[in-house]
């Protein structure tokens, strides 16, 4: 880094994509800074067990994998700073990144900002955030040992997280807007908990509002095919999908109709020298193995870009 906070490469985010890129770039003496607004490891760091990442025959906890990736990148000289990038300005050979308080300069930029959880947008959701409303089972599931909860969603993540939560909750009301769309394997596993009475599935059901007492959730109003009723529960876990972390790039970098970043085959955006990889990229397959794969690919493309623009 020079005195004016300049780097060869600044990576926005420090999830599996960013950390893999940093392992490659720093090993090749490309001066690399990662800027992270939350937790190093991104979504992987809050995933309980990662069973499908190659090389770990017994699986590995998301936190452990994140720590190992970060250590490996730091061993080669990667630097990680905590800040949130608010905007990016293209000045040709130099890109300016404005953080909350600092400005960073880079010859090349990698956007690896991943995704965040979608909200359901009902009264009480914001008010009771972390006081009964949650989006991460690994982070908050243990607070609900022997207590009744509801889970919202019917896709793979919702069912996977419901299965995880069965180890804590006394009962789970699974609220599904239409039908369960999770894989057959997950549905088969879920059936065991439906059969033993731990999970009750409510199809065609929406939450109308989340209510509480003493600042803590204690019930929800639901609408099942037009009929409303109250469920007494202590917590609501919402898993209704993800949206890309690209709001700060609107009008700057070209996005697709779902706001994911468009790239060419070199994983470069419409701005030369600004690359995107991992879950935030249009067409990404949303797996840690593919995030790491894209991280490695983009590192090589960035090296070529830097060599061309010396
Ligand atoms: C519940 C759940 C379970 C999963 N289970 C598995 C699994 O078992 N196996 C598997 O392969 N995959 C799994 N995944 C998917 C996997 O976690 C992702 O594919 C992977 O983490 C994507 O990596 P990424 O680096 O592209 O993005 P992320 O992991 O999302 O990391 C992006 C990082 O960028 C940061 N960031 C965002 N905006 C800014 C900004 N403006 N400034 C600074 N930093 C910013 C974020 O804080 C975050 O840390 C799971 C995902 C979820 C949600």
């Amino acid at each position: 880094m020079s005195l004016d906070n300049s780097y060869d490469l600044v990576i926005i985010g420090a999830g599996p994509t960013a950390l893999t890129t940093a392992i490659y770039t720093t090993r090749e003496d490309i001066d690399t800074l990662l800027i992270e607004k939350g937790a190093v490891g991104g979504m992987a760091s809050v995933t309980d067990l990662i069973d499908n990442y190659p090389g770990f025959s017994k699986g590995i906890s998301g936190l452990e994998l994140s720590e190992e990736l970060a250590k490996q990148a730091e061993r080669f000289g990667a630097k990680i700073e905590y800040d949130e990038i608010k905007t990016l300005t293209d000045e040709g050979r130099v890109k300016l990144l404005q953080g909350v308080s600092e400005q960073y300069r880079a010859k090349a930029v990698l956007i690896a900002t991943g995704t965040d959880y979608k909200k359901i947008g009902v009264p009480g959701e914001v008010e009771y955030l972390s006081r009964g409303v949650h989006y991460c089972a690994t982070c908050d599931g243990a607070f609900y040992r022997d207590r009744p909860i509801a889970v919202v969603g019917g896709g793979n993540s919702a069912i996977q997280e419901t299965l995880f939560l069965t180890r804590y909750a006394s009962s789970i009301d699974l609220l599904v807007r239409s039908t369960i769309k999770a894989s057959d394997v997950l549905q088969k596993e879920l059936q065991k908990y439906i059969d033993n009475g731990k999970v009750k599935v409510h199809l065609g059901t929406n939450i109308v509002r989340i209510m509480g007492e003493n600042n803590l959730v204690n019930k929800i109003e639901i609408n099942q095919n037009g009929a409303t009723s109250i469920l007494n529960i202590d917590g609501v876990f919402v898993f209704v999908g993800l949206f890309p972390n690209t709001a700060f790039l609107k009008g700057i970098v070209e996005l697709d109709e779902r706001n994911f970043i468009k790239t060419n085959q070199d994983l470069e955006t419409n701005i030369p020298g600004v690359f995107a990889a991992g879950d935030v990229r249009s067409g990404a397959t949303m797996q840690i193995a593919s995030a790491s794969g894209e991280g490695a690919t983009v590192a090589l493309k960035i090296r070529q870009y830097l060599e061309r623009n010396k």
Side-chain angles (χ1 to χ4, degrees):
M1 186 196 78
S2 68
L3 285 175
D4 62 351
N5 235 359
S6 290
Y7 296 84
D8 294 331
L9 172 65
V10 170
I11 306 179
I12 316 175
T17 305
L19 291 167
T20 307
T21 302
I23 290 168
Y24 276 73
T25 54
T26 49
R27 267 189 97 223
E28 299 198 16
D29 288 334
I30 294 171
D31 191 21
T32 303
L33 173 71
L34 298 92
I35 300 174
E36 171 56 56
K37 70 169 183 173
V40 169
M43 282 291 185
S45 69
V46 292
T47 302
D48 174 46
L49 179 72
I50 296 161
D51 230 0
N52 53 3
Y53 189 74
F56 298 94
S57 59
K58 297 189 180 80
I60 181 167
S61 88
L63 191 60
E64 199 182 338
L65 179 64
S66 303
E67 284 171 357
E68 285 300 322
L69 283 169
K71 271 193 228 160
Q72 197 174 356
E74 283 170 333
R75 176 158 70 91
F76 296 120
K79 299 165 207 86
I80 302 176
E81 278 203 15
Y82 289 91
D83 197 350
E84 177 173 0
I85 295 303
K86 295 292 191 185
T87 190
L88 181 161
T89 312
D90 178 27
E91 295 204 333
R93 289 171 88 101
V94 174
K95 324 290 170 198
L96 297 181
L97 292 160
Q98 185 59 55
V100 172
S101 54
E102 285 217 44
Q103 196 177 62
Y104 309 86
R105 298 160 70 87
K107 293 178 190 159
V109 170
L110 171 63
I111 304 163
T113 49
T115 56
D116 215 338
Y117 299 104
K118 271 191 191 157
K119 312 284 183 284
I120 44 175
V122 298
E125 185 178 20
V126 173
E127 191 183 343
Y128 291 108
L129 179 67
S130 300
R131 286 182 283 122
V133 177
H134 306 275
Y135 302 87
C136 173
T138 317
C139 317
D140 302 323
F143 296 130
Y144 294 92
R145 198 176 289 279
D146 302 325
R147 297 166 73 193
I149 62 168
V151 169
V152 186
N156 280 330
S157 289
I159 305 308
Q160 204 175 350
E161 300 302 285
T162 300
L163 293 171
F164 174 77
L165 288 164
T166 56
R167 66 176 82 171
Y168 301 115
S170 54
S171 66
I172 300 178
D173 285 288
L174 178 60
L175 313 176
V176 186
R177 197 174 48 182
S178 53
T179 53
I180 295 181
K181 297 192 176 73
S183 69
D184 288 349
V185 181
L186 288 172
Q187 292 206 39
K188 226 184 237 173
E189 195 58 25
L190 180 70
Q191 191 60 46
K192 292 183 198 161
Y193 294 96
I194 297 171
D195 292 344
N196 73 15
K198 189 141 204 180
V199 175
K200 185 173 176 196
V201 180
H202 306 255
L203 297 179
T205 303
N206 290 313
I207 290 194
V208 179
R209 61 195 167 113
I210 299 167
M211 296 167 279
E213 218 176 67
N214 299 328
N215 270 333
L216 291 171
V217 168
N218 67 355
K219 57 188 168 208
I220 51 175
E221 184 180 339
I222 60 167
N223 181 324
Q224 185 165 25
N225 298 318
T228 56
S229 58
I230 299 288
L231 290 180
N232 293 310
I233 44 87
D234 289 349
V236 186
F237 285 80
V238 179
F239 307 108
V240 293
L242 300 158
F243 66 90
N245 287 319
T246 53
F248 70 106
L249 296 166
K250 266 191 188 155
I252 301 169
V253 168
E254 212 180 318
L255 307 177
D256 71 8
E257 60 295 342
R258 293 168 57 226
N259 292 324
F260 287 82
I261 300 174
K262 286 188 183 179
T263 57
N264 63 18
Q265 60 184 16
D266 287 342
L267 305 184
E268 194 170 24
T269 68
N270 57 306
I271 304 177
V274 177
F275 296 78
D279 281 13
V280 76
R281 193 182 64 79
S282 181
T285 49
M286 309 285 187
Q287 289 293 296
I288 300 167
S290 37
S292 286
E294 287 196 15
T297 303
V298 81
L300 305 180
K301 301 296 177 187
I302 289 167
R303 186 190 64 195
Q304 287 165 9
Y305 171 85
L306 290 171
E307 275 168 4
R308 277 197 313 272
N309 291 277
K310 259 184 190 157

